[in-house]
Amino acid sequence: MAGPDRKVIEKNSHGEYVLTAYGEFLSYFHTHIQLFGTLISAKKIPAKEQEALKSKIRSYISSNVQKTDHFFDQLPQFAQFLGMGSGELSSYMNRNFLGALNKVKTKLIEQESAAEQTPRKKKYSKISEEILEGLGFTFPAGHKFESEEGMIYLVDIATGKKREAAALGEVARETAAAGAAARPVQAAPVRKGPETPILEEILKKYGELFSGKPLIMKVEELEEDDSPVQVGEDILADVDDLHFDGDFGGDSPSFSEPPVSIPFSKYMDQVGKVRVFQKAGQLEEYKRWVASLPVEENALVQLQTSLLKESKGEVVEWDGTLGQLGARTGLSESRLRKVLELGRDFFRIRNQLESSWNKARTASPAVAELVKKAWPHILRVMDEYPDFAQIKGKMDQLLSRIPDSSQRKILTDLFLNPVLSIRRN
C-alpha cells in the first residue's frame, strides 16, 4: 500500500478509477518483482537464498530506479543478479511483460479502490501520541501515585487527598477544568495603526546598499517539468507485494546457468604464456600464474592438456578429470562442463587459425607480412564467438581494408570461411 502522501489511484472524468503517475510506476515495480520472482523460483537453490535474492533486487530497484524507463535501462544489472544473459532476460521480458503488467494494474486498482472504502489507520510519529489520544487525557499535574495495603491511590500533593487510581481520568478532567476556569480572560487586542511592510522598511533603511536588475520569471520557468517520480528506499519499503490467487501466468522457464564468458583473444594470450613457461621449464612460476587467474580462466588453462590428448584420439576420463579440477578450483561439475564445452570450441578455432597462419607464411612474403599485421585484429574479431553473424560482419569489415582483391580473397579463404565452418550443431 502507498502512504497517505502518495496517491496510487484517482477518478477520471467518467468516475472510473485510474492509476496516478506514482501508480503507473508502482505497476512497473510490481510487474518486475513478479516476473523476477518467477525466474528466481525456478533456480535450484535453497528457499532462503531465493528470498535473499528477491530482497536484494527489490532493494536495488528502490535505490536506483526513479521512473518507468529506468527499469529497461537496468536490464543488464537485473540479468547479472539473476545469473543469466541480458539477451535471454530481454527475450523473457518481451514475451511476458505486457500480459503481466495488465494483471498487475487490474490488481492494483482493485486493491487501492477497496482500501479507499476502508478508513485508514492513523499513523503516529511517537508511541506516546497514540497512548495520549487513546486515553483522552494526560496525567494531572500536582498528583502522584501511592501504594497502601495493596491498593494504588492517586494523591493530591498539595492537600494530601487520596482517590483510587481508577479515578485517574476523572481527576485529570477536573484538574483541566479548574485550570481553564482560573486562566485569565484574554483582553481584546488593541488595534494598532497600519504597519509598514518589512520589505519597505528594509528598503527605506538600507536602500542605498542594494543594486541590480529586477528579477523577471519567464513563463517556461513557471511551468511544471516532466520530472521523474522520486522513489527511494523509504517509500518502497512501505509498499506491500501484490498477492495473486493461483498461478501468476507467463513462462515458467527452466533456469539454466549463464554461459562461460571468456574472450577468445584472452584465451590465445594465455596459451602463449603457457608455451613460454613450458619452453623455459618454469614450473613453479607457471603454478603461481595459474593460481592468480580468475577461477574459470584458471580451469580453462588446466583443461588444455586433456583437450590436446582428446584431439589426438586418446581416451580422457572426463568425470575423474573434472572431479579433481572441481576440488582444486571450487567450481561445480555443471559449471566445469560449460568451461570444457567452451574449451573444445576454442581449441578447434585455435587449431584452424594456426593452420591458416602457417599456410599464409608460405603463400608469399606480401601475404605473410599482411597476416602478421592483421593477426591481433583477427583474434579480437573472434571475441564475438559464438555469434557467427558478428564474426562474419567484423571480419568482412577488417578484410575490406585490403586494397588488393587477390590478397583479400586469400585471407578470406584462410581465416573467414574455415572459421565459419566451425559451427556448433
Side-chain angles (χ1 to χ4, degrees):
M1 292 290 179
D5 57 334
R6 286 278 181 179
K7 284 189 68 66
V8 177
I9 59 173
E10 59 188 2
K11 286 188 176 181
N12 61 15
S13 57
H14 302 292
E16 301 169 331
Y17 280 116
V18 294
L19 294 173
T20 62
Y22 177 65
E24 286 287 341
F25 176 86
L26 275 189
S27 68
Y28 272 63
F29 170 76
H30 285 300
T31 302
H32 281 80
I33 292 297
Q34 292 286 350
L35 291 176
F36 292 162
T38 301
L39 289 170
I40 292 171
S41 297
K43 290 170 70 73
K44 295 179 179 179
I45 58 176
K48 190 175 181 179
E49 291 182 26
Q50 291 186 11
E51 291 306 313
L53 181 53
K54 290 176 184 178
S55 177
K56 183 178 181 180
I57 292 177
R58 184 187 179 106
S59 177
Y60 181 84
I61 293 174
S62 300
S63 302
N64 296 277
V65 179
Q66 282 80 45
K67 59 181 181 177
T68 54
D69 289 347
H70 291 173
F71 284 101
F72 303 107
D73 298 337
Q74 296 291 338
L75 200 65
Q77 183 60 51
F78 294 142
Q80 186 175 334
F81 284 141
L82 294 165
M84 60 197 302
S86 296
E88 185 182 0
L89 179 58
S90 178
S91 177
Y92 170 77
M93 296 300 285
N94 288 339
R95 292 194 305 271
N96 296 288
F97 184 76
L98 287 179
L101 180 64
N102 289 333
K103 288 185 178 182
V104 166
K105 284 185 174 181
T106 301
K107 183 73 174 179
L108 199 55
I109 291 174
E110 174 188 307
Q111 175 179 286
E112 289 296 318
S113 59
E116 284 206 354
Q117 310 304 318
T118 305
R120 292 182 182 272
K121 184 180 179 181
K122 184 175 179 180
K123 291 187 176 182
Y124 299 91
S125 58
K126 299 178 181 177
I127 186 64
S128 56
E129 292 178 3
E130 185 174 0
I131 292 172
L132 288 175
E133 184 165 320
L135 290 173
F137 59 85
T138 57
F139 190 82
H143 289 72
K144 67 177 181 177
F145 285 119
E146 277 189 9
S147 175
E148 184 178 321
E149 297 181 357
M151 295 288 291
I152 301 296
Y153 294 93
L154 188 66
V155 181
D156 187 324
I157 298 173
T159 65
K161 182 180 178 181
K162 295 182 180 181
R163 300 179 70 172
E164 289 187 11
L168 175 60
E170 182 182 341
V171 173
R173 285 187 286 274
E174 289 176 358
T175 304
R183 194 176 298 122
V185 178
Q186 294 289 332
V190 178
R191 292 184 176 274
K192 296 181 180 179
E195 292 186 1
T196 304
I198 186 64
L199 289 179
E200 187 177 321
E201 186 177 337
I202 291 172
L203 285 172
K204 184 183 293 185
K205 194 170 184 179
Y206 303 103
E208 69 277 3
L209 300 178
F210 293 94
S211 62
K213 298 177 181 179
L215 179 64
I216 302 174
M217 297 294 288
K218 298 177 182 179
V219 174
E220 56 266 29
E221 291 179 277
L222 300 175
E223 293 177 348
E224 293 184 359
D225 61 345
D226 184 20
S227 57
V229 177
Q230 294 297 328
V231 180
E233 194 85 43
D234 55 335
I235 298 296
L236 289 181
D238 292 332
V239 177
D240 297 331
D241 287 333
L242 293 177
H243 299 290
F244 292 85
D245 295 329
D247 186 17
F248 181 71
D251 290 350
S252 296
S254 55
F255 192 88
S256 59
E257 285 186 309
V260 176
S261 180
I262 301 173
F264 180 78
S265 58
K266 179 177 282 190
Y267 159 79
M268 288 294 288
D269 180 58
Q270 291 167 351
V271 168
K273 287 184 178 180
V274 170
R275 287 171 174 167
V276 170
F277 285 124
Q278 287 176 335
K279 189 174 181 179
Q282 297 175 320
L283 180 60
E284 293 304 316
E285 289 82 352
Y286 164 77
K287 288 180 179 179
R288 284 195 293 271
W289 170 71
V290 171
S292 70
L293 295 174
V295 64
E296 291 182 348
E297 294 176 25
N298 177 316
L300 183 59
V301 168
Q302 294 192 62
L303 285 171
Q304 296 309 302
T305 302
S306 297
L307 286 169
L308 180 60
K309 290 180 181 179
E310 185 179 63
S311 70
K312 294 177 179 179
E314 298 180 27
V315 176
V316 178
E317 205 283 291
W318 284 113
D319 288 343
T321 299
L322 295 180
Q324 293 175 7
L325 189 54
R328 292 197 296 270
T329 62
L331 289 172
S332 65
E333 182 181 348
S334 63
R335 198 65 185 162
L336 281 172
R337 289 196 178 276
K338 285 189 176 293
V339 176
L340 174 60
E341 182 182 356
L342 182 67
R344 282 195 177 113
D345 293 342
F346 278 2
F347 194 88
R348 291 162 62 200
I349 294 172
R350 172 164 67 92
N351 283 346
Q352 181 58 60
L353 291 178
E354 290 179 346
S355 174
S356 297
W357 166 271
N358 292 328
K359 289 178 183 177
R361 291 173 60 188
T362 60
S364 72
V367 170
E369 184 63 25
L370 189 61
V371 170
K372 186 177 180 180
K373 292 180 180 177
W375 183 249
H377 303 287
I378 292 172
L379 296 185
R380 281 195 290 274
V381 168
M382 296 304 155
D383 285 347
E384 298 298 330
Y385 180 85
D387 191 335
F388 283 97
Q390 284 282 0
I391 289 176
K392 184 179 186 308
K394 289 194 173 184
M395 189 68 85
D396 284 341
Q397 186 179 13
L398 176 63
L399 298 178
S400 68
R401 300 176 187 174
I402 303 173
D404 189 314
S405 60
S406 61
Q407 292 180 344
R408 189 162 59 245
K409 185 177 185 309
I410 290 173
L411 264 68
T412 299
D413 291 341
L414 284 174
F415 292 101
L416 179 57
N417 294 337
V419 169
L420 292 180
S421 68
I422 305 177
R423 294 175 184 265
R424 286 186 290 183
N425 297 327

